[in-house]
Amino acid sequence: DAGITQSPRHKVTETGTPVTLRCHQTENHRYMYWYRQDPGHGLRLIHYSYGVKDTDKGEVSDGYSVSRSKTEDFLLTLESATSSQTSVYFCAISEWASGRTDTQYFGPGTRLTVL
Amino acid sequence: GESVGLHLPTLSVQEGDNSIINCAYSNSASDYFIWYKQESGKGPQFIIDIRSNMDKRQGQRVTVLLNKTVKHLSLQIAATQPGDSAVYFCAEGGSYIPTFGRGTSLIVHP
């Protein structure tokens, strides 16, 4: 998985509790992304980062926040988990630069269940 | 092709057959395309890519064809094996936020 790990791999939590998912890379790639994957929707971008402390929202960012204090770590936080956030979460990395066509590489995923 | 509703399009083939998976993309300005394979319970895995200045690119047992006129991309898998069973989806790249298709489920029967 291109030097990308996600933790935890599985989590069950209750509605209203905070949850933090971690993505760690060893590739020193500049860009990091959080996606969620649900049946019928494919991959949907939650947030992404284009450098340390530089982040931006994706198409489904409501209810999620992120932080990137180091190049290698990108954290996704659900401040107060809801059942609609039950999903599989994937982290991805890339070294995209203008004029280049670097692809994204994905981590193994975290399966989150909110009861 | 792209999925409608909750169910992915499915392609069922016999082991040893050739498989062709199709993808329509929307942005005529896209200049880079990627095919991913996603096995059950795993993250998407890069298979092959192609730039818009090419019509065809070959890898090991896989070939990607690009038809920019009709904005269509296809992935051909030669001599399909049971280990090829997975969801395959295309992505339009060329920027730091690619656009992903919903995928096609390939089922290979021994």
Side-chain angles (χ1 to χ4, degrees), chain A residues 17-70:
Chain A
T17 60
V19 176
T20 295
L21 308 183
R22 179 181 183 238
C23 177
H24 179 79
Q25 61 148 330
T26 58
E27 306 296 323
N28 201 36
H29 279 16
R30 178 183 174 192
Y31 286 83
M32 298 186 76
Y33 309 78
W34 276 108
Y35 291 92
R36 60 179 290 175
Q37 187 176 46
D38 306 287
H41 290 281
L43 287 164
R44 292 185 291 175
L45 181 64
I46 304 171
H47 282 279
Y48 65 97
S49 169
Y50 46 96
V52 173
K53 298 186 179 179
D54 292 323
T55 65
D56 207 346
K57 296 178 179 180
E59 63 178 299
V60 291
S61 60
D62 288 348
Y64 301 94
S65 63
V66 290
S67 65
R68 190 167 179 201
S69 59
K70 299 184 291 185

Side-chain angles (χ1 to χ4, degrees), chain B residues 20-37:
Chain B
I20 299 176
I21 299 170
N22 298 303
C23 178
Y25 63 93
S26 56
N27 186 356
S28 56
S30 294
D31 60 0
Y32 178 57
F33 304 89
I34 312 113
W35 278 101
Y36 288 92
K37 172 186 180 182

Side-chain angles (χ1 to χ4, degrees), chain A residues 33 35 37 40 90 101 103-104, chain B residues 32 36 38 43 96 98 100 102:
Chain A
Y33 309 78
Y35 291 92
Q37 187 176 46
F90 288 103
T101 53
T103 191
Q104 289 190 343
Chain B
Y32 178 57
Y36 288 92
Q38 187 175 20
Y96 55 86
F100 294 93
R102 294 181 184 177

